[in-house]
Amino acid sequence: MAQPAQPVARDLTPAFGAEITGFEPRKPLDAETCNVLRDVFDRRGLLLFRGLDIDHAYQVYLATMLIRKAHLADTATIADTFYISNERPNSAAPFGRLQFHSDTMWSDNPFEVLSLYAVNVDEPVVPTTYVSATYAWATLPDDLRARVDGHEALHTAGEVRRGDLTDVDLTTVERPPSTTMPIGRRHPRTGDTILYICEQMTKEVVGMAPDDSERLLGKLFAHLYDRSKQWSHHWCNGDLIIWDNAAVQHARPNVRNDGPARTLRKVAFPIPQLSRDQLPAYESAE
Ligand SMILES: [Fe+2]
C-alpha cells in the first residue's frame, strides 16, 4: 500500500512558526507524520493548520502528540469546556486586550502546549499575536545576558499592573498562585534556553531593588516584544494553531463584547490543579 504523503512546513517568520500543508487529520497518525510534525514543532515553536474540521478529542490528540505525551491525554480530564469567546456563556477572556504572556507562567508546572481552534469567527476578527522567547534569548545582547545571568524572576497571577493598561482585560485572583524560575530558563523538552519573563505576570527580578528590577525588565521586554519580531494571525473558521507555551508567548488587541463573533476552542496540557480561589475573575480596566 502506498505511504501517505508527508505534510509540508513553510516558515511563517525568520524567528519562529510554520504553516503545515498537506495534512490529513487521521487518528492515529502514522509514525513518520508524527516525527515530521514533532521535529518542526520543536524547532519552530508554533504550527498553523488551515481549513481543518476537527473535534475536541482530535485537538487534544494532536496537541499532546506534539509534546510526546498523547498517552497521558485522557480527554475526560481535558474537558471540552474551555473557550475563548465574546459570544459563548462562561468563556475565558470574553473581552479586552491581553498583554503578552505564557499561560500559567505563575505555575511550577505551566502548560507545555497550548492550542486554539477557530470554531466560529465572523471574519474579520481581532488577531492573536505571537513572539518567540527562544529567539529572544538567542538574540539577547551580551550586556543584558550578563545582567540576568543567574537571576530568577517571580511570576504571579492577577497582581501585576504595568505599562499601558488601556482596554486590558484585568484578572483578579483571591489567593494568587506564584512561582520563581530562572530568567534564562532551560526548556524542559528541547533544552533550548528561553527568555522566561512576561509583561502580564512577571512581578519582579528576585533579590533586586524594585526600581532596578523594573528598569531591567523594561529593557528585556523591549527586546522580547520588538514589533519586528511579532507575528499576528487573523483567524478564519477551521484554523488551528498549536504552540509551545514556554517558547512562544501570545497577546491580542482589544476584543469587544459587542464585536463580531470570535469563538476559539482552547486545549492546553498539562492542567495545573488549582482551588477555586486561585482561579481568575475577569473585570474591565475601564
Ligand atoms: Fe493566554
Side-chain angles (χ1 to χ4, degrees), residues 101 103 250 266:
H101 62 285
D103 273 25
H250 59 291
K266 178 171 173 173

Side-chain angles (χ1 to χ4, degrees), residues 70-251:
H71 59 292
L72 297 178
D74 174 358
T75 51
T77 64
I78 309 178
D80 184 11
T81 56
F82 211 163
Y83 288 78
I84 306 296
S85 176
N86 58 355
E87 58 163 354
R88 188 184 161 104
N90 303 315
S91 293
F95 56 82
R97 179 166 68 90
L98 293 173
Q99 293 177 300
F100 275 107
H101 62 285
S102 288
D103 273 25
T104 64
M105 191 184 244
W106 37 259
S107 169
D108 294 338
N109 298 295
F111 296 161
E112 294 170 32
V113 64
L114 191 47
S115 77
L116 292 173
Y117 172 71
V119 175
N120 182 40
V121 296
D122 191 6
E123 306 158 22
V125 294
V126 167
T128 303
T129 301
Y130 298 88
V131 293
S132 169
T134 311
Y135 186 78
W137 180 266
T139 56
L140 195 63
D142 289 344
D143 60 325
L144 278 177
R145 190 176 298 217
R147 288 180 66 188
V148 301
D149 189 36
H151 281 285
E152 293 191 325
L154 170 66
H155 313 290
T156 184
E159 280 195 327
V160 176
R161 304 283 186 261
R162 77 154 57 80
D164 175 12
L165 294 174
T166 308
D167 298 324
V168 164
D169 177 6
L170 295 175
T171 59
T172 54
V173 185
E174 207 175 314
R175 191 166 60 87
S178 64
T179 192
T180 57
M181 292 264 191
I183 294 175
R185 181 186 168 207
R186 188 174 186 278
H187 192 289
R189 191 182 67 260
T190 66
D192 292 336
T193 304
I194 45 184
L195 181 55
Y196 200 66
I197 53 167
C198 78
E199 59 182 345
Q200 191 194 63
M201 301 179 197
T202 302
K203 191 169 184 182
E204 62 194 25
V205 179
V206 176
M208 200 173 269
D211 285 357
D212 292 342
S213 167
E214 206 52 34
R215 206 172 301 122
L216 177 54
L217 288 173
K219 288 183 176 166
L220 295 170
F221 290 146
H223 173 74
L224 176 59
Y225 304 134
D226 184 327
R227 279 197 179 275
S228 69
K229 309 294 191 306
Q230 298 180 13
W231 174 75
S232 291
H233 180 64
H234 295 262
W235 293 97
C236 296
N237 286 306
D239 287 351
L240 171 70
I241 298 184
I242 306 178
W243 70 97
D244 181 315
N245 182 52
V248 171
Q249 294 188 18
H250 59 291

Side-chain angles (χ1 to χ4, degrees), residues 33-43 65-66 68:
T33 298
C34 290
N35 288 337
V36 167
L37 293 177
R38 286 170 179 151
D39 174 64
V40 180
F41 188 69
D42 284 351
R43 287 188 293 104
M65 180 279 288
L66 289 172
R68 299 160 172 82

